[in-house]
Amino acid sequence: MSTAGQVIKCKAAVAWEAGKPLVMEEVEVAPPEAGEVRLKILYTSLCHTDVYFWEAKGQTPLFPRIFGHEAGGIVESVGEGVTHLKPGDHALPVFTGECGECAHCKSEESNMCDLLRINTDRGVMIHDGQTRFSIKGQPIYHFVGTSTFSEYTVVHAGCVAKVNPAAPLDKICVLSCGICTGLGATVNVAKPKPGSSVAIFGLGAVGLAAAEGARISGASRIIGVDLVSSRFEEAKKFGVNEFVNPKDHDKPVQQVIAEMTNGGVDRAVECTGSIQAMVSAFECVHDGWGVAVLVGVPNKDDAFKTHPVNFLNERTLKGTFYGNYKPRTDLPSVVEKYMNGELELEKFITHTVPFSEINKAFDYMLKGESIRCIIRMGE
């Protein structure tokens, strides 16, 4: 493209302070360095993780910053040494990556790349420790290596998945984070068998994606567990056919579920980050074959406590990161699941706003009205 090698000026939604509305600014985006890609972002969506770090209530604040990590776009130019991508490719940037060289990338059992796994504190590029964004010479920090709330962004090539150009970017952009995290937790890690029972703890976007995974897997009983009973109606669209609100019972919810299912569910997926939910998810699976998968991120001071006999009775506890998907290797096939009708993405998308009104997306999320809000760039 004619802009290759040049600084590009474009619009970006910049967070100057924690919790303050994003400000639309003209930023300068430098060309990609070795091992990097510059993307033209066409659609991005808002994930709760963006909101969490924008609020800066539980981590080290880093501002000014460009947030955003679920997106779809087109490769504008590539840096030295990048061979799996070329200008014009349709691509999804991802907050984690796949260098292809480390022990994790070479293992069929792991997707936790040594070089490119998520680092929420780093606001610069790995190659040289510098930012690619600036405003009148002032550096603007990156977020989880993606920063998709900008019309152009620079990303490490190992964090960019090339996808089918026929796939609509305004739909598949949601696969960059939450949907794959929940879907993969069920399909790749819990692996429920057709006709089995699955309990999903937490019916936010990730939990609904976990339920979608259970539906795709052919589970016959999908039990949603949430403290907000109004979420059940929406969850029915994702295959949830029973609902339990722990506040409605005077006994631990794991006992309630065990009684409902003649000893426990076959699989449980926890998507809240609550330690109590994690314990309940593990203790509600059936002895002998039950598997519980933890997805939610707990508070750094939390500790998991259960009796060792739960393990001795052949219950299995697993954890997962990004649904055990390797971004470059696996994401294209998830897109194909959507293209062939196996995976339904439209029902995750509840709102759409133009880029100029990106703060509305934050309002929808904070009010609990949105599963995913798509932001149309260039508007």
Side-chain angles (χ1 to χ4, degrees):
M1 293 187 179
S2 60
T3 50
Q6 301 176 20
V7 172
I8 291 178
K9 292 184 178 181
C10 69
K11 290 181 180 179
V14 178
W16 290 98
E17 297 179 63
K20 297 294 179 66
L22 306 188
V23 179
M24 203 62 65
E25 304 276 13
E26 182 180 76
V27 299
E28 294 186 340
V29 185
E33 298 289 340
E36 298 173 357
V37 176
R38 188 160 60 183
L39 296 172
K40 180 178 183 179
I41 300 298
L42 298 183
Y43 298 94
T44 186
S45 65
L46 179 64
C47 170
H48 190 267
T49 302
D50 295 305
V51 177
Y52 181 72
F53 282 88
W54 165 72
E55 291 178 322
K57 292 179 178 177
Q59 64 285 320
T60 305
L62 184 62
F63 296 94
R65 203 171 201 181
I66 297 174
F67 288 102
H69 65 284
E70 288 188 349
I74 297 174
V75 176
E76 177 269 338
S77 59
V78 301
E80 180 185 348
V82 177
T83 57
H84 77 282
L85 295 160
K86 65 183 186 302
D89 283 345
H90 286 219
L92 302 182
V94 184
F95 65 89
T96 184
E98 185 181 350
C99 73
E101 299 298 327
C102 70
H104 285 277
C105 286
K106 291 180 178 179
S107 169
E108 294 181 358
E109 300 180 47
S110 175
N111 68 335
M112 300 189 71
C113 175
D114 280 329
L115 178 67
L116 299 173
R117 72 176 65 178
I118 186 171
N119 183 333
T120 57
D121 291 332
R122 185 174 60 230
V124 295
M125 300 300 291
I126 292 174
H127 176 71
D128 58 3
Q130 302 295 313
T131 70
R132 301 289 176 263
F133 299 111
S134 62
I135 297 177
K136 298 177 181 177
Q138 179 184 1
I140 307 297
Y141 293 111
H142 297 247
F143 177 63
V144 296
T146 52
S147 292
T148 61
F149 293 166
S150 174
E151 292 176 329
Y152 286 86
T153 188
V154 177
V155 183
H156 192 288
C159 297
V160 180
K162 179 181 176 180
V163 297
N164 184 345
L169 291 171
D170 60 331
K171 305 296 190 300
I172 65 170
C173 65
V174 299
L175 295 173
S176 291
C177 179
I179 308 310
C180 276
T181 296
L183 180 75
T186 305
V187 174
N188 296 334
V189 187
K191 298 180 180 178
K193 297 176 181 178
S196 61
S197 57
V198 181
I200 308 292
F201 285 75
L203 296 176
V206 176
L208 293 175
E212 178 77 353
R215 182 192 68 79
I216 290 172
S217 300
S220 60
R221 295 184 73 178
I222 305 176
I223 304 168
V225 183
D226 202 290
L227 297 173
V228 182
S229 296
S230 60
R231 288 184 167 184
F232 182 41
E233 197 59 38
E234 185 73 27
K236 290 179 181 177
K237 300 177 186 177
F238 301 84
V240 176
N241 46 33
E242 297 177 64
F243 182 80
V244 177
N245 186 332
K247 294 191 295 186
D248 294 340
H249 302 273
D250 56 6
K251 63 180 74 172
V253 70
Q254 54 265 48
Q255 291 184 24
V256 175
I257 293 173
E259 291 169 5
M260 289 170 59
T261 55
N262 193 28
V265 289
D266 301 306
R267 302 288 186 265
V269 184
E270 181 283 323
C271 304
T272 71
S274 158
I275 281 292
Q276 185 52 57
M278 293 179 181
V279 172
S280 298
F282 177 52
E283 294 183 354
C284 82
V285 299
H286 206 289
D287 58 5
W289 62 80
V291 177
V293 179
L294 306 185
V295 181
V297 180
N299 184 288
K300 62 183 177 64
D301 297 321
D302 284 336
F304 185 97
K305 184 178 180 180
T306 189
H307 199 284
V309 76
N310 288 315
F311 292 97
L312 298 175
N313 285 340
E314 300 183 8
R315 293 178 177 88
T316 300
L317 181 66
K318 294 184 175 184
T320 181
F321 172 71
Y322 191 53
N324 278 42
Y325 288 117
K326 293 178 184 283
R328 285 170 50 188
T329 299
D330 298 330
L331 207 45
S333 63
V334 181
V335 169
E336 293 310 311
K337 286 182 184 292
Y338 166 72
M339 294 296 283
N340 65 28
E342 184 179 351
L343 171 62
E344 300 169 5
L345 293 179
E346 283 83 358
K347 59 194 178 185
F348 288 96
I349 299 167
T350 49
H351 299 78
T352 303
V353 298
F355 189 34
S356 59
E357 298 178 13
I358 189 171
N359 288 303
K360 280 188 178 179
F362 280 75
D363 292 339
Y364 292 138
M365 179 75 75
L366 291 168
K367 291 176 183 176
E369 298 174 359
S370 172
I371 300 174
R372 278 296 181 268
C373 180
I374 303 298
I375 299 154
R376 303 187 303 269
M377 308 299 285
E379 293 187 32

